[in-house]
Amino acid sequence: MATVKKDIRALTKEQLRDFFAKQGDKAFRGNQVYEWLWQKAAYSFDDMTNLSKETRQMLDDRFVINNIEVSTMQRSNDGTIKNAVRLHDGLIVESVLIPTPTRTTACVSSQVGCSLDCKFCATARLKRMRNLNPDEIYDQVVAIDKESKLYFNRPLSNIVFMGMGEPLMNYNNVIKAIDKITSPEGLGMSPKRITVSTSGVPKMIKKMTDDDVKFNLAVSLHSAIDEVRTSIMPFNETFPLEDLKEALEYWYAKTKRKISYEYVVWKGINDTQKDIDAFVKFCKYVPCKVNIIEYNPIDDGQFQQASNAALEQYIETLEKNRIVVNVRHSRGKDIDAACGQLANKS
Ligand code: SF4
């Protein structure tokens, strides 16, 4: 019977050192392999050129490197790049590189499909197939970092967890991936340049706070009125705004880091003065900034971008209340790479 090869990236550095020591080799080899796997993102044992041919063969006989593969890459007219990423079991997720004159941001996925069912989101239609493991999240970032260097002559500068999936429903793996991304033995990125965007899972926001995470928090709010929010984000029934508010207060009290609210204004859904007033009230609970995001229709026309007048009214009222507000025009719309459009169509 053929032996099943182990995923070498599931081993810690200590375990790799032990492995080599037990082979009668130098434990230091474990450090070298670890460096190849993480810092140098090697996808083949043959790339590990400071190991002997015999050692590389021995590793190849016992282990696999379950790396991802960018199966298709699309480039938008505005420079945005969307990767369809094939996982070792054949499933596909998408990640996006968003360039601006001063930064390159990676928008990465945390699940195949999604556990939640936001009515306006293309990913929700895929349902959740499985969580991504930490390496699969890390590899999406590495792939985008390479593309950033290749096409824009600079490394990746920021990461947002706003791709497919609800990151807080795959919390442990997201945290492990971020640990690796921020570790000097991984990509060495500052956690201040990473934002985890959630639709608002109160108990997990509290857990993140207790875990003393150093990255930023964004919440896709879209309405501060329970009935409206539940109609577009049905899980709001289980996690109502009052619980979310309490969790966000807990976060701010301990971290002193502002929250970003992501907010889309849709015609006939959340475009009245009552919606605006409720949102402004919610924004006052904890220090925050607001990103109003341009909506990208996902074909069926049920959700439509609100009028400019409604958007102006939101912006004016927020600013009058001294709340910082940015309007984000979507990028990569021509390749379905914009927010809410990721659905493995490529
Ligand atoms: S918006 Fe985010 S949380 Fe909601 S279904 Fe889409 S991917 Fe999931």
Side-chain angles (χ1 to χ4, degrees):
M1 205 173 75
T3 357
V4 181
K5 292 186 189 182
K6 269 193 183 170
D7 178 7
I8 194 163
R9 297 201 302 176
L11 301 185
T12 62
K13 197 201 283 185
E14 268 322 299
Q15 288 169 323
L16 280 170
R17 286 173 58 85
D18 277 0
F19 169 78
F20 278 101
K22 281 188 190 137
Q23 300 292 312
D25 202 337
K26 294 190 181 84
F28 173 70
R29 295 264 174 266
N31 298 34
Q32 290 177 308
V33 171
Y34 193 85
E35 193 178 312
W36 276 111
L37 291 173
W38 297 108
Q39 255 177 313
K40 298 179 184 163
Y43 287 163
S44 155
F45 294 112
D46 276 341
D47 294 343
M48 303 182 180
T49 45
N50 56 358
L51 304 181
S52 70
K53 224 173 159 191
E54 294 69 36
T55 305
R56 283 184 261 159
Q57 187 57 51
M58 180 273 293
L59 290 172
D60 197 36
D61 291 343
R62 292 167 187 235
F63 297 103
V64 283
I65 305 175
N66 275 341
N67 60 294
I68 61 161
E69 180 202 332
V70 176
S71 61
T72 47
M73 189 199 91
Q74 290 173 276
R75 288 193 81 179
S76 158
N77 298 332
D78 65 20
T80 301
I81 293 175
K82 180 170 81 169
N83 292 333
V85 168
R86 187 181 301 282
L87 308 172
H88 69 92
D89 55 5
L91 291 171
I92 304 266
V93 290
E94 292 176 338
S95 34
V96 182
L97 178 162
I98 307 148
T100 68
T102 52
R103 54 166 74 173
T104 308
T105 301
C107 174
V108 296
S109 295
S110 53
Q111 297 183 307
V112 189
C114 187
S115 321
L116 302 181
D117 52 357
C118 304
K119 300 293 176 209
F120 50 83
C121 172
T123 306
R125 297 178 181 177
L126 300 173
K127 303 295 173 207
R128 189 191 81 93
M129 285 173 251
R130 71 169 172 85
N131 286 338
L132 294 189
N133 66 37
D135 313 346
E136 291 166 334
I137 298 170
Y138 181 85
D139 285 351
Q140 291 174 69
V141 175
V142 169
I144 290 183
D145 185 43
K146 282 182 186 163
E147 288 167 348
S148 181
K149 287 171 184 154
L150 182 66
Y151 296 110
F152 301 97
N153 282 322
R154 61 190 185 204
L156 176 66
S157 60
N158 296 72
I159 302 171
V160 291
F161 281 79
M162 279 187 201
M164 301 167 97
E166 163 53 61
L168 298 193
M169 292 293 195
N170 184 18
Y171 179 76
N172 290 340
N173 290 349
V174 166
I175 294 295
K176 281 185 195 160
I178 292 176
D179 282 348
K180 201 78 89 183
I181 292 164
T182 53
S183 152
E185 290 176 333
L187 296 181
M189 276 183 78
S190 163
K192 289 186 190 142
R193 295 183 169 274
I194 300 174
T195 300
V196 169
S197 175
T198 173
S199 47
V201 188
K203 86 168 183 244
M204 298 313 295
I205 292 173
K206 285 187 177 168
K207 174 153 177 50
M208 272 166 61
T209 311
D210 291 338
D211 288 347
D212 199 21
V213 299
K214 300 290 183 226
F215 49 77
N216 301 303
L217 173 63
V219 175
S220 296
L221 196 68
H222 308 313
S223 175
I225 300 173
D226 269 316
E227 306 80 75
V228 178
R229 195 163 194 261
T230 301
S231 73
I232 53 176
M233 303 170 87
F235 67 89
N236 185 71
E237 188 138 34
T238 321
F239 309 124
L241 288 161
E242 186 57 32
D243 294 3
L244 178 59
K245 168 190 166 222
E246 200 201 299
L248 296 175
E249 285 170 340
Y250 188 76
W251 163 273
Y252 188 76
K254 287 207 172 180
T255 67
K256 295 285 176 265
R257 288 205 295 282
K258 276 189 184 180
I259 290 153
S260 302
Y261 293 124
E262 312 292 327
Y263 203 99
V264 179
V265 189
W266 290 283
K267 191 172 166 186
I269 291 177
N270 58 353
D271 59 352
T272 68
Q273 192 60 46
K274 189 177 162 204
D275 295 292
I276 299 174
D277 293 342
F279 183 38
V280 169
K281 187 173 169 208
F282 198 90
C283 286
K284 289 185 174 171
Y285 295 141
V286 288
C288 67
K289 57 184 181 187
V290 170
N291 293 317
I292 302 250
I293 301 169
E294 185 187 6
Y295 183 60
N296 306 293
I298 53 169
D299 300 341
D300 60 11
Q302 193 196 342
F303 287 88
Q304 288 169 32
Q305 169 82 36
S307 65
N308 285 342
L311 286 182
E312 288 303 323
Q313 191 60 21
Y314 259 97
I315 295 163
E316 204 177 289
T317 318
L318 286 163
E319 284 179 342
K320 227 186 257 168
N321 283 275
R322 294 166 198 256
I323 297 159
V324 175
V325 51
N326 296 303
V327 178
R328 288 236 198 104
H329 298 288
S330 273
R331 309 285 306 271
K333 277 194 279 193
D334 53 327
I335 54 168
D336 285 339
C339 285
Q341 286 186 323
L342 300 184
N344 292 349
K345 279 202 274 182
S346 50

